[in-house]
Amino acid sequence: MRKIQLQILLIFFTGIFISHAQQPLKPSSVEIYNQIKKLNFLGSVLYVAAHPDDENTRLIAYLANDMNARTGYLSLTRGDGGQNLIGPQLRELLGVIRTQELIEARKVDGGEQFFSRANDFGFSKTPDETLQIWDKDKVLADVVWTIRKFQPDVIINRFDHRSPGTTHGHHTSSAMLSVESFDLTNNPKIYPEQLKYVTPWQVKRQFFNPSWWFYGSQEKFDAANKSKFTKLETGVYYTGLGKSNQEIAALSRSRHQSQGFGSTGVRGLETEYLELINGDTPADRDNLFDGIDTTWNRVKNGKPIGELISKIVEKYDFSNPSASLPDLVKVYAMIEALEDGHWKSLKAEAVKNIIASCSGLYIEAVASEQEATPGSTIKLSLEAINRSSVTMELTSVTTLPDNKNTPQNVILKNNDDQKINLEMQLPANIEYTQPYWLKEKATVGMYTVSNQEIIGIPDIIREVKVVFNVKINNVAIPLERTVVYKYNDGVKGEMYNFLDIVPEVTTSILEKVLIFRDTKSKMVPVKVRAGKDAVAGNLQLELPKNWLVSPKQIPFTLDKKGNDQTFYFEVTPPVNPEETVLKAVAVVDNKRFDKDETIIDFSHITKQMVLKLAESKAIRIDLKTSGDAIAYIMGAGDEVPESLTQMGYKVTIIKPEEITPERLDSFNVVITGIRAYNTVNALANKQNILFNFVKSGKNMIVQYNTYGKTVTNQLAPYPLKISNDRVTEENAKITFLSPNHPVLNTPNKISTKDFEGWTQEQGLYYPNEYDAAFTPIIASHDKGESAKNGALLVAPYGKGYYIYTGLSFFRELPEGVVGAYRLLSNMISLKQPIEAPKQDIKQ
């Protein structure tokens, strides 16, 4: 295990994330040249902010590619609390997606990615609230830890630590913690437990990266006195790459697809400004590294290495990069002869990859199947080919984590492809493949990672690797590759995934929330899936004693890996309202398997496997409903339709092109999904049809949309304007503005108790201007703010009702929040004629 941890740390330090499933990098001659130049720059910058997409990709790309600095981005969170424009995944699953998007962004702009253990719990209005929900001391420890490991000469904060309350509380907190860390990282009395693995480190200087946004407008920013700011001209054009810095930055930014941050590249002059907030002022104000030795002279006995690299750069042959191999091998040997230290491990790994690139050395380890179980034997196909005239030898290959060395002693001749077949037995105690930060129980504000050494590593930790031990000019060079699985797609061609280590059996309760409106039993489907061939056991559904389940267990046999079968248990709830958790457990050879496998597979990121407890929430609820036929128009993606089905409604998801009077005639209610009017352009031409649907005596419920760009300005049959108003405190006190309105009384009597237990937020993007035809139903507010009345607006239109709500049903329903089900039922059930409600608020 110690050896594995050291390998993990090496990957952390190098910034060469070789563990991402993609076709192997095949750099061009120009890209190899740029990598060699970067060998001779020993300076580093750490950019600090709060979330994925907070980073300034223009500045990161400039620092990494123009200045050749080692550039890192520390995002305190993985973006778990945001919204998702590409699917229904929220919370930790969204965090997994956004983690991968950041990793992909860094591949584009040349930076490296790091995280703290802070859990993005959603929008926060003040840093005081943020640092109460986060464990401030632990997040600060993670900032200090990252700085001590990364050893930046310069830190740049994205946000201003001096302006709490003017932006997201997470934003300001990231800057405050970064500033606080400046005087702590070099003090051995601060977090001394870290010093088993790292040494104290003092950052030279720290900056704040302002922009027009912090000044309120471009005009104000242009007029501001920036004479004391450091100025970087970042609008450079990289002739060898054929791209401007801004174009590279836009490609990086566009990796944040779940946030809808696709960006168009621009060209021309551009300036970034930095305000010094800590450390010494550079004599050359516009040189971040002024007074910092960024040459090999900063390393003991390093000067000759820098001189040789300069010679390689000067003589580099773009038509024959392999001509640099003899000297590059010498550089590697000289680095290996240095005393152990920070730059030694970084540069040794970098030069190894350059040597492989210069020689066209293609090495790869491919598993015959994409999944394997602990203790099983896997078949590996290894490939090694040298595409240069330089003689080299493959002396052996070493498999990890078993550390078995297999001699080869094969001369790798020019363009002579060598294929090697191996079998490898996986350790019985090898870890399952999953995001390491999700393995232990988290809190609302923090993920739990007990192993200090792996805190901050961005990606899943994969243990199965092969080291190709190559000898060039009598210098042994170990080159490590993570084991992958690849296949050919008839349309897309060669496709890569990673080898995943999976349980022998996984289980899944197919409905994540089960609603019992009375004491009638329900058949609950449970799926069991085989992680290996010929697996047999008994499937159980575990419940408290006052919940009845039949049968007690169901035997199963699955012949082939990947096969699955669904079984049904009859569950009978208790008489009184109650919530509980069901757990699906498969018992195989007296071993319990209780993990639910979730696969996240999008084309722009590496395929991910997430293992969670195979659980579901069961609720015996006092819930009355009326009406049954609902048409649901999906927006950015949510799981509300599944929740409506659990409530007993007949739900049909209809596409925008299906919105016709004839198609809608069989429905009682139309509901639009979250951000539908931000993402579904076709809705702009369907509003008259939808409004006529309401006018005819039906109901339309519109869930939240973000303010700003919507596909139409006519969201409702009456004037209505969305704002940035939100209530982030889940348990903020609710006031009923129209207590006699049917939406609070029929068929369920709604009380303030129905707003207890809400998760992440009460609601977001409330309208703050609306026609007098709307009746505001509730009001609430965060601490220290005025009341927000736009959470739920109801307006009669013709014979039906139009309802706009910013309440976060898309979060509450999948979490099984009882009050959300009861209130939504009332919204669906509204009927005319009724006595017109009195207008309590005129606006």
Side-chain angles (χ1 to χ4, degrees):
M1 184 61 187
R2 177 64 180 165
K3 187 178 292 291
I4 292 170
Q5 291 171 345
L6 290 174
Q7 292 159 355
I8 291 166
L9 284 174
L10 182 60
I11 294 171
F12 182 99
F13 279 122
T14 62
I16 300 170
F17 299 115
I18 58 176
S19 64
H20 303 318
Q22 60 175 9
Q23 295 191 6
L25 296 176
K26 301 166 187 175
S28 68
S29 179
V30 169
E31 290 168 329
I32 294 170
Y33 174 72
N34 290 336
Q35 291 169 7
I36 296 172
K37 285 202 306 180
K38 196 161 187 169
L39 280 178
N40 240 7
F41 192 91
L42 281 70
S44 53
V45 182
L46 183 65
Y47 201 86
V48 180
H51 308 109
D53 71 44
D54 283 346
E55 78 275 24
N56 183 341
T57 54
R58 298 180 304 276
L59 188 52
I60 289 175
Y62 173 79
L63 294 169
N65 300 299
D66 188 78
M67 297 189 71
N68 287 320
R70 184 185 181 215
T71 307
Y73 174 42
L74 171 58
S75 175
L76 293 192
T77 76
R78 295 177 183 266
D80 327 80
Q83 281 79 50
N84 184 2
L85 285 180
I86 61 174
Q89 298 87 359
L90 294 174
R91 291 301 305 141
E92 68 272 14
L93 296 182
L94 177 58
V96 171
I97 293 172
R98 297 189 72 187
T99 291
Q100 291 301 312
E101 289 178 337
L102 267 185
I103 290 170
E104 294 298 325
R106 298 294 79 78
K107 292 179 189 177
V108 174
D109 59 36
E112 304 171 38
Q113 188 58 52
F114 309 104
F115 294 97
S116 82
R117 289 170 292 176
N119 191 340
D120 179 1
F121 56 84
F123 193 88
S124 177
K125 294 181 178 178
T126 68
D128 287 344
E129 180 195 39
T130 296
L131 296 174
Q132 285 176 359
I133 297 175
W134 289 351
D135 185 324
K136 179 191 172 183
D137 184 67
K138 288 182 179 177
V139 182
L140 179 61
D142 291 353
V143 175
V144 171
W145 167 253
T146 303
I147 293 169
R148 285 172 170 173
K149 291 182 75 171
F150 189 76
Q151 296 188 14
D153 300 300
V154 176
I155 287 178
I156 300 174
N157 295 338
R158 183 56 173 140
F159 299 103
D160 189 353
H161 64 290
R162 300 159 297 194
S163 55
T166 60
T167 182
H168 196 320
H170 297 182
H171 292 169
T172 311
S173 295
S174 72
M176 292 169 63
L177 293 171
S178 178
V179 169
E180 187 173 349
S181 73
F182 189 84
D183 294 322
L184 302 180
T185 55
N186 202 32
N187 185 343
K189 295 181 180 179
I190 302 298
Y191 306 119
E193 69 279 0
Q194 297 179 0
L195 302 183
K196 296 177 185 177
Y197 317 105
V198 294
T199 58
W201 178 256
Q202 183 58 58
V203 177
K204 185 75 170 177
R205 51 184 70 107
Q206 187 176 47
F207 296 89
F208 160 53
N209 177 206
S211 68
W212 70 264
W213 190 85
F214 297 95
Y215 285 77
S217 69
Q218 186 66 52
E219 292 74 20
K220 290 181 181 179
F221 186 51
D222 291 341
N225 180 7
K226 298 185 281 290
S227 62
K228 294 184 179 180
F229 288 2
T230 291
K231 184 170 65 173
L232 302 177
E233 300 299 339
T234 58
V236 297
Y237 175 66
Y238 302 111
T239 55
L241 301 177
K243 295 183 180 72
S244 70
N245 187 69
Q246 301 100 309
E247 287 171 320
I248 292 173
L251 291 171
S252 171
R253 189 75 169 165
S254 297
R255 292 299 187 267
H256 296 295
Q257 292 185 19
S258 65
Q259 296 302 104
F261 278 177
S263 299
T264 300
V266 297
R267 293 143 291 279
L269 298 175
E270 187 172 65
T271 305
E272 286 288 339
Y273 294 94
L274 303 175
E275 178 189 358
L276 184 72
I277 55 176
N278 262 320
D280 63 340
T281 303
D284 178 358
R285 185 177 294 278
D286 295 337
N287 180 1
L288 284 183
F289 292 97
D290 185 66
I292 301 171
D293 189 354
T294 59
T295 72
W296 276 94
N297 294 337
R298 78 187 294 175
V299 176
K300 183 180 178 181
N301 299 322
K303 183 178 179 181
I305 298 173
E307 292 171 347
L308 182 53
I309 293 172
S310 295
K311 174 186 169 185
I312 297 169
V313 171
E314 182 181 350
K315 294 184 176 182
Y316 184 77
D317 184 349
F318 286 88
S319 64
N320 181 24
S322 66
S324 299
L325 276 173
D327 283 337
L328 284 167
V329 172
K330 288 179 184 177
V331 166
Y332 175 73
M334 294 166 72
I335 293 174
E336 283 295 292
L338 296 172
E339 296 178 9
D340 287 342
H342 177 70
W343 287 107
K344 174 184 176 178
S345 48
L346 286 171
K347 296 300 185 180
E349 191 66 26
V351 76
K352 283 196 296 182
N353 284 279
I354 293 170
I355 288 169
S357 297
C358 280
S359 63
L361 178 60
Y362 183 94
I363 52 178
E364 181 174 75
V366 180
S368 60
E369 296 183 85
Q370 204 249 312
E371 295 182 346
T373 55
S376 65
T377 299
I378 60 174
K379 295 180 180 180
L380 298 178
S381 298
L382 311 185
E383 180 181 2
I385 181 169
N386 167 27
R387 290 171 289 185
S388 73
S389 59
V390 175
T391 302
M392 60 183 70
E393 180 184 4
L394 178 63
T395 60
S396 66
V397 293
T398 304
T399 52
L400 301 174
D402 63 341
N403 208 31
K404 180 181 178 181
N405 188 263
T406 305
Q408 299 297 319
N409 301 317
V410 175
I411 300 299
L412 298 178
K413 300 176 183 178
N414 182 24
N415 215 32
D416 183 11
D417 201 5
Q418 297 293 319
K419 301 290 181 63
I420 303 164
N421 294 319
L422 287 180
E423 286 194 350
M424 173 186 178
Q425 183 165 4
L426 298 174
N429 62 348
I430 192 171
E431 297 275 1
Y432 297 139
T433 301
Q434 60 180 316
Y436 70 90
W437 60 94
L438 298 180
K439 285 172 58 178
E440 301 178 70
K441 187 177 177 65
T443 66
V444 172
M446 294 295 295
Y447 285 118
T448 302
V449 181
S450 300
N451 183 349
Q452 176 67 56
E453 290 184 272
I454 66 176
I455 291 172
I457 292 176
D459 205 358
I460 287 173
I461 297 168
R462 299 179 186 272
E463 300 180 52
V464 187
K465 305 173 187 290
V466 173
V467 179
F468 293 78
N469 299 300
V470 177
K471 186 179 288 186
I472 306 176
N473 293 347
N474 290 318
V475 176
I477 303 174
L479 296 161
E480 184 180 275
R481 296 294 182 265
T482 301
V483 173
V484 297
Y485 168 74
K486 69 177 182 181
Y487 62 97
N488 185 72
D489 182 279
V491 175
K492 300 176 182 178
E494 190 176 55
M495 302 293 291
Y496 278 77
N497 285 316
F498 279 120
L499 170 69
D500 284 336
I501 309 301
V502 302
E504 293 178 20
V505 174
T506 55
T507 60
S508 177
I509 304 173
L510 299 185
E511 295 167 343
K512 299 310 176 187
V513 177
L514 293 153
I515 300 296
F516 294 83
R517 295 164 51 192
D518 49 37
T519 57
K520 292 180 181 178
S521 64
K522 278 192 174 186
M523 301 304 293
V524 177
V526 180
K527 184 173 72 174
V528 58
R529 180 180 184 272
K532 68 174 186 178
D533 291 341
V535 61
N538 289 301
L539 183 64
Q540 302 170 356
L541 190 62
E542 297 181 347
L543 282 163
K545 290 182 179 180
N546 60 330
W547 290 70
L548 303 180
V549 59
S550 177
K552 296 297 182 184
Q553 62 181 25
I554 301 175
F556 67 88
T557 301
L558 298 170
D559 294 331
K560 295 292 184 182
K561 176 196 293 189
N563 283 1
D564 62 63
Q565 191 171 353
T566 300
F567 299 93
Y568 290 84
F569 291 88
E570 184 177 11
V571 174
T572 305
V575 173
N576 297 320
E578 183 181 313
E579 298 180 18
T580 191
V581 173
L582 296 76
K583 178 182 286 188
V585 178
V587 179
V588 178
D589 296 331
N590 295 319
K591 291 191 295 184
R592 288 169 54 90
F593 294 91
D594 61 358
K595 294 294 188 293
D596 184 351
E597 177 189 77
T598 298
I599 300 296
I600 298 175
D601 194 5
F602 293 98
S603 61
H604 68 298
I605 59 174
T606 296
K607 180 181 175 183
Q608 302 288 291
M609 181 178 75
V610 180
L611 295 175
K612 303 183 352 182
L613 287 175
E615 294 180 340
S616 183
K617 192 171 186 179
I619 307 172
R620 168 68 175 93
I621 183 176
D622 179 13
L623 175 67
K624 301 178 181 65
T625 62
S626 64
D628 61 358
I630 297 174
Y632 200 91
I633 303 169
M634 294 299 295
D638 58 62
E639 296 179 335
V640 173
E642 291 88 338
S643 300
L644 291 167
T645 301
Q646 272 293 315
M647 295 168 70
Y649 295 110
K650 295 177 182 177
V651 183
T652 303
I653 296 176
I654 64 172
K655 298 177 181 178
E657 58 268 24
E658 296 180 272
I659 300 174
T660 65
E662 295 76 17
R663 182 72 175 94
L664 296 182
D665 186 59
S666 60
F667 298 103
N668 300 317
V669 180
V670 167
I671 302 178
T672 62
I674 61 172
R675 299 177 76 166
Y677 287 96
N678 300 125
T679 61
V680 184
N681 292 327
L683 283 178
N685 300 317
K686 300 294 184 178
Q687 290 298 79
N688 286 338
I689 297 173
L690 292 169
F691 295 159
N692 286 335
F693 172 83
V694 178
K695 187 182 289 186
S696 71
K698 310 293 183 69
N699 291 346
M700 181 177 180
I701 300 172
V702 177
Q703 296 182 82
Y704 96 92
N705 296 272
T706 60
Y707 80 106
K709 186 178 180 181
T710 53
V711 299
T712 176
N713 292 326
Q714 192 180 6
L715 293 179
Y718 308 109
L720 177 143
K721 186 175 180 180
I722 299 171
S723 74
N724 199 28
D725 287 351
R726 62 175 76 204
V727 178
T728 63
E729 296 171 15
E730 300 90 340
N731 296 317
K733 181 181 177 182
I734 293 289
T735 300
F736 291 153
L737 301 174
S738 303
N740 296 322
H741 196 286
V743 80
L744 293 177
N745 293 279
T746 306
N748 302 287
K749 179 67 175 177
I750 303 299
S751 71
T752 55
K753 185 177 180 181
D754 287 295
F755 290 89
E756 294 176 1
W758 284 51
T759 64
Q760 186 159 323
E761 66 216 342
Q762 274 190 6
L764 62 172
Y765 298 110
Y766 295 167
N768 63 350
E769 296 179 23
Y770 42 86
D771 191 84
F774 284 103
T775 299
I777 303 300
I778 64 173
S780 64
H781 61 87
D782 288 325
K783 184 179 179 181
E785 294 191 354
S786 60
K788 305 294 186 290
N789 300 336
L792 179 57
L793 303 173
V794 182
Y797 184 66
K799 298 179 181 178
Y801 281 100
Y802 176 95
I803 304 169
Y804 190 95
T805 181
L807 292 171
S808 58
F809 288 106
F810 73 105
R811 293 194 189 280
E812 313 314 321
L813 298 175
E815 291 296 323
V817 177
V818 170
Y821 284 92
R822 286 162 47 79
L823 180 58
L824 183 57
S825 172
N826 285 13
M827 293 160 60
I828 292 169
S829 303
L830 278 178
K831 294 290 182 185
Q832 290 197 56
I834 60 169
E835 182 182 349
K838 295 180 180 179
Q839 186 68 38
D840 301 291
I841 302 289
K842 291 185 178 180
Q843 195 160 341

